[in-house]
Amino acid sequence: MGLTVDTINQRVRNAEYAVRGELAVKSEEYRARLAKGDKSLPFDQVISANIGNPQQLDQKPLTFFRQVLSILENPLLLDKEDVLLNHLGYQSDVIARAKKLLASVGSVGAYSASNGVPVIKESVAKFIEERDGFPADPAHIYLSTGASSGVNTLLNVICASKKTGIMIPIPQYPLYTASLALLDATPVPYYLDEAKNWGTDLDTIRKSYEQGKADGLDVRCVVIINPGNPTGSSLPEDDIRAVIDFANEKDLLVMADEVYQTNVFVGKFHSFKSVLRTMQQENPGKYDKVQLASLHSLVGLAPEVEANVYKFVSIMLCAPVVGQCMVELMVNPPREGEPSFALYDKEYKGIFDGLQERAAALHKAFSEMEGVSCAQPQGSMYLFPTITLSKKAVDAAKADGRTADEFYAMELLKATGICVIPGSGFGQVEGTLHFRTTFLAPGTEWVGSIVKFHKDFMDKYR
């Protein structure tokens, strides 16, 4: 009778991934209608604030990166170096970097070693050393097809059965719950402290761990997302030390999702590796058994375990080589004094300052909206405000077959073309309502659309 929705892998059917769910699908329908000239909608553009997709929202690519990649994709351009230099705005260091990478990879259309191009891994190791002040070994670095692929690799190796427990923050990026559902492993949720800018609370983590053990789970790993997604938090060093202490006590692998580390507005970014190495230095022998897998490197895994990580990534062949080259450019950008530095620095700071400006504008708007509160933006690309809705609004949501935050987000999309994701897609304390929005869209005019919608919504359901 062929495949049906009842005969396929039910773990796939049951996995939920809110950032690409109903709201995102509906927003793309609206985008297509606008492209065809539909004038019946009450807005003239769709703003996809549901997912961190910067260039879709008009963030311009960095010129140095784009120029090097253009040569990697079409090495014949090197036959016309004079044209590149004298007519197309390429700098000499662009050409030199492209030649170096081509010498390392041969062709971006070819496979590399499964765990990444050795020369690129060396650049990543140097970046980590400069960031942390401690040595980094290229042998323990794996280049993956984005962070999601890295998380998938680690969870596939860690999760042995339904009894495997993985501690995840709530709210969390739904990649984790979806991946665990596919693997038939068990999430062990711990709640972040909204009153402390979504920081980690050790007592909460400990209670969550003890509940997981009481439920008969083999709790193996604690996941930390820093800077936070969806919360936009940035953890202080004391929080990181507390987590490492707890992992050491309970013999847990620490999985540190640190993909937004360059987007920190408040304080500074502290990598888990740098804090762990500092603690090992301060207390010789005490933290030697701590195992860490960050979205940049592995620390402390047994060689036999790491061999199986390598086997798993080998099954996937390798990350796209052009993407690996992009990683090399990211960790090894133009330095001061090099021909491309001035433009790179201007563009990079422009992106960072623009993000910070829009984060501040959104935060200010939320602070002035009735029934809305929001932690100060600290990093990453997201805000996760709390919304308080009337019983009338909650009843209207139930009549529509939705949770209150889903109903609010759908009405916002219908009225403004702005797509956000309800907090229920990430997890939230029972009885609270949130939504996640990025602050990637250019300008701040669209913020006013949210303010107007919210006032109208609150008045309608008062």
Side-chain angles (χ1 to χ4, degrees), residues 331-354:
V331 300
N332 186 21
R335 310 286 173 137
E336 192 165 2
E338 294 178 349
S340 294
F341 176 77
L343 179 58
Y344 169 82
D345 190 53
K346 177 183 177 183
E347 292 176 341
Y348 185 94
K349 287 179 178 175
I351 291 171
F352 183 88
D353 291 346

Side-chain angles (χ1 to χ4, degrees), residues 372-386:
V372 176
S373 63
C374 184
Q376 178 188 11
Q378 295 183 304
S380 75
M381 302 187 295
Y382 310 103
L383 291 177
F384 198 63
T386 301

Side-chain angles (χ1 to χ4, degrees), residues 157-183:
V157 174
I158 295 167
C159 296
S161 73
K162 192 174 183 66
K163 288 294 186 181
T164 299
I166 306 294
M167 301 188 70
I168 60 171
I170 298 295
Q172 52 96 36
Y173 185 58
L175 163 68
Y176 290 93
T177 45
S179 297
L180 292 173
L182 293 174
L183 291 166

